[in-house]
């Protein structure tokens, strides 16, 4: 289920210090034919990201976990593979547009998560819109002034925004079930999110930020979730287990109106949390395949994956 936050990382070795550990990149071939770059994939280690690329596409914020008491976050330099630990952070994180801060949820001693901002220059951590109930999966608007997240503060999980300048909190959905994994479109005119319809049925929706109108994008009676926008706002990447047993989702693309759905990965384990690089050349995602972690697909101009030569 989407609600279970499935991409928790289990790490055999902590990630010490600044630039003291490096990733070992390699490639593999998905059964569907796409060439996969292994971005944070190592034997015996599971790692994850939530749209964690910096806006220049050079750094990726990655969360990891050894067990429920030992979690962490680091930034991976995609050019030299060096890692920089973020002290006090223990989950995936999202860069602000100016690259000066990151936002996401951190696990507290009570076990719940709160939304925080992390200042890269100083390491200062500031809690955002503190509440006794769970808040998580935060991201920024295009100007960095608004933080988007989902919260159980009203009893069910709904979509909220917090304006950093006015300190105003706004609730965007009022649903008895589970709304989560929200993202602004590149121009902030829409908010993409997924909704639990019951059982194993999840669908993708968008909110028009000008009037609050909610529209449904997918209707398949399976799991469609973890949606994200292409840089031009014309395409949505998402995960779905359509045509498969529940919990074994693959990565798909569709047009922003919900049409023209096409499949990229084809694995018997779960792929999720896909997102585009700022230049649209790559699609990053998490996977629970045998070598678990963060992967990347290279895309051509038509958004087809680059496939292995036969």
């Amino acid at each position: 289920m989407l609600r279970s936050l499935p991409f928790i990382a289990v790490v055999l070795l902590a990630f010490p210090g600044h630039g003291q550990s490096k990733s070992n990149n390699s490639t593999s071939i998905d059964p569907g034919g796409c060439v996969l770059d292994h971005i944070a994939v190592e034997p015996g280690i599971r790692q994850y990201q939530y749209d964690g690329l910096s806006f220049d596409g050079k750094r990726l914020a990655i969360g990891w976990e050894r067990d429920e008491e030992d979690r962490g976050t680091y930034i991976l330099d995609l050019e030299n593979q060096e890692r920089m630990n973020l002290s006090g952070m223990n989950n995936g994180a999202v860069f602000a547009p100016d690259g000066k801060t990151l936002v996401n949820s951190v696990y507290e001693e009570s076990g719940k998560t709160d939304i925080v901002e992390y200042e890269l220059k100083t390491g200062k951590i500031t809690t955002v819109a503190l509440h006794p109930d769970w808040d998580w999966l935060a991201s920024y608007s295009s100007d960095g002034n608004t933080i988007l997240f989902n919260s159980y503060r009203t009893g069910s999980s709904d979509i909220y925004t917090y304006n950093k300048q006015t300190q105003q909190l706004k609730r965007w959905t009022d649903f008895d079930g589970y709304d989560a994994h929200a993202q602004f479109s590149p121009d902030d005119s829409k908010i993409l999110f997924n909704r639990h319809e019951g059982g194993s049925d999840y669908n993708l929706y968008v909110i028009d930020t000008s009037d609050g109108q909610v529209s449904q994008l997918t209707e398949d009676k399976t799991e469609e979730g973890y949606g994200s926008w292409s840089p031009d706002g014309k395409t949505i990447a998402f995960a779905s287990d359509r045509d498969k047993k529940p919990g074994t989702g693959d990565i798909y693309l569709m047009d922003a109106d919900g049409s023209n759905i096409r499949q990229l990965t084809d694995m018997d384990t779960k792929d999720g949390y896909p997102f585009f690089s700022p230049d649209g050349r790559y699609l990053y995602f998490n996977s629970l395949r045998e070598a678990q972690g963060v992967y990347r697909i290279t895309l051509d101009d038509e958004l087809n994956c680059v496939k292995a030569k036969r």
Side-chain angles (χ1 to χ4, degrees):
M1 293 176 61
L2 291 170
R3 186 170 176 174
S4 64
L5 301 178
F7 294 102
I8 297 301
V10 177
V11 180
L12 301 180
L13 295 174
F15 298 107
H18 293 253
Q20 296 180 15
S21 181
K22 294 188 177 184
S23 294
N24 296 313
N25 281 352
S26 60
T27 61
S28 61
I29 309 301
D30 181 81
C34 296
V35 176
L36 305 180
D37 296 321
H38 297 197
I39 300 303
V41 181
E42 301 168 44
I45 298 174
R46 289 172 57 192
Q47 302 165 74
Y48 61 97
Q49 53 68 41
Y50 304 131
D51 197 2
L53 266 184
S54 59
F55 276 63
D56 59 8
K58 295 181 179 180
R59 297 174 293 168
L60 179 64
I62 297 176
W64 61 269
E65 179 183 274
R66 178 182 287 128
D67 53 45
E68 291 186 359
E69 303 299 326
D70 190 7
R71 301 179 175 99
T73 307
Y74 70 92
I75 293 175
L76 175 65
D77 187 312
L78 293 170
E79 294 182 340
N80 61 30
Q81 303 305 305
E82 290 188 348
R83 294 166 170 163
M84 182 181 75
N85 273 356
L86 302 183
S87 179
M89 298 286 277
N90 57 24
N91 206 342
V94 177
F95 280 90
D98 62 9
K100 295 180 180 180
T101 61
L102 297 104
V103 67
N104 214 300
S105 54
V106 296
Y107 289 91
E108 304 296 346
E109 291 184 1
S110 64
K112 81 178 187 75
T113 55
D114 291 321
I115 304 300
V116 302
E117 268 198 304
Y118 181 96
E119 188 175 299
L120 279 167
K121 185 176 181 179
T122 65
K124 178 182 178 182
I125 296 176
T126 304
T127 304
V128 175
L130 182 64
H131 192 272
D133 288 311
W134 284 63
D135 301 329
W136 70 90
L137 288 172
S139 57
Y140 288 100
S141 59
S142 62
D143 62 5
N145 290 327
T146 300
I147 294 174
L148 176 66
F149 64 101
N150 59 289
S151 174
Y152 270 105
R153 61 186 59 211
T154 51
S156 58
S157 179
D158 285 305
I159 307 303
Y160 292 81
T161 52
Y162 176 79
N163 187 295
K164 294 166 58 178
Q165 294 180 337
T166 65
Q167 298 184 344
Q168 289 185 332
L169 188 70
K170 180 172 182 176
R171 182 181 181 184
W172 288 91
T173 64
D174 184 4
F175 181 62
D176 290 338
Y178 178 73
D179 290 342
H181 305 282
Q183 277 202 344
F184 279 111
S185 60
D187 63 1
D188 299 327
S189 66
K190 293 182 174 60
I191 296 172
L192 175 68
F193 69 99
N194 58 239
R195 171 169 289 176
H196 183 205
E197 313 282 9
S200 59
D201 184 11
Y202 294 79
N203 281 301
L204 289 163
Y205 288 77
V206 290
I207 304 168
D208 188 318
T209 57
S210 66
D211 58 14
Q213 183 69 34
V214 177
S215 302
Q216 187 170 350
L217 292 180
T218 63
E219 298 180 348
D220 204 271
K221 299 298 182 182
T222 54
E223 181 183 45
E224 275 76 46
Y226 310 113
S228 65
W229 304 89
S230 63
D232 62 8
K234 296 180 179 179
T235 303
I236 291 171
F238 68 104
S240 174
D241 58 13
R242 57 181 61 203
D243 302 323
K244 289 191 172 183
K245 64 181 181 180
T248 57
D250 292 311
I251 304 303
Y252 288 77
L253 300 178
M254 66 180 175
D255 293 351
D257 62 1
S259 65
N260 190 25
I261 294 175
R262 57 269 194 203
Q263 185 174 357
L264 289 181
T265 65
D266 186 9
M267 195 69 182
D268 58 3
T269 55
K270 187 165 188 171
D271 295 338
Y273 292 102
F275 71 96
F276 289 89
S277 61
D279 59 9
R281 287 188 57 205
Y282 302 110
L283 193 69
Y284 290 77
F285 67 99
N286 298 343
S287 180
L288 295 181
R289 59 190 66 208
E290 183 177 358
Q292 301 170 21
V294 182
Y295 289 80
R296 183 176 70 187
I297 296 171
T298 301
L299 301 171
D300 63 20
D301 291 341
E302 302 299 321
L303 298 185
N304 299 307
C305 72
V306 172
K307 294 192 174 183
K309 295 180 180 179
R310 298 185 181 277

